[in-house]
Amino acid sequence: EAARFLARAAYAAMENNDAREAMARAIRGLQYSPHHPGLWFVIATACFEYGAVEDAIRCLQHVVWIHPGHTAARRDLEALTIWSAE
């Protein structure tokens, strides 16, 4: 329950363009549910906001490892693959 609450709070912080707060809430949520794909996705998104692209890619790969059907993470990884190939 705590992880779901913190995931919602982390997504809300990202929608408010507050990457720092989103990452803090997501990391807190991982304490309760270390394999929550949504929390890892928020961390990846926040990493992009900070310019930490390698960390973001690792987090996205972790999301797909946890939940192979996570469409947003797959979409972002595919976009990065196309971008890096150009």
Side-chain angles (χ1 to χ4, degrees):
E1 186 65 30
R4 283 195 302 265
F5 171 78
L6 287 164
R8 287 191 302 270
Y11 277 104
M14 283 305 296
E15 288 176 6
N16 290 329
N17 295 317
D18 190 349
R20 185 186 72 73
E21 187 63 27
M23 186 176 283
R25 291 175 181 179
I27 290 170
R28 214 170 312 136
L30 290 176
Q31 294 174 349
Y32 299 100
S33 182
H35 297 293
H36 190 294
L39 294 169
W40 283 102
F41 185 75
V42 169
I43 292 171
T45 304
C47 285
F48 278 123
E49 292 292 319
Y50 285 117
V53 177
E54 289 181 27
D55 293 328
I57 291 169
R58 285 187 194 108
C59 289
L60 288 173
Q61 290 170 334
H62 192 67
V63 171
V64 173
W65 175 76
I66 294 167
H67 179 33
H70 197 284
T71 55
R74 286 193 169 279
R75 180 193 64 229
D76 288 354
L77 282 172
E78 288 173 12
L80 288 167
T81 302
I82 292 169
W83 177 77
S84 66
E86 294 179 352

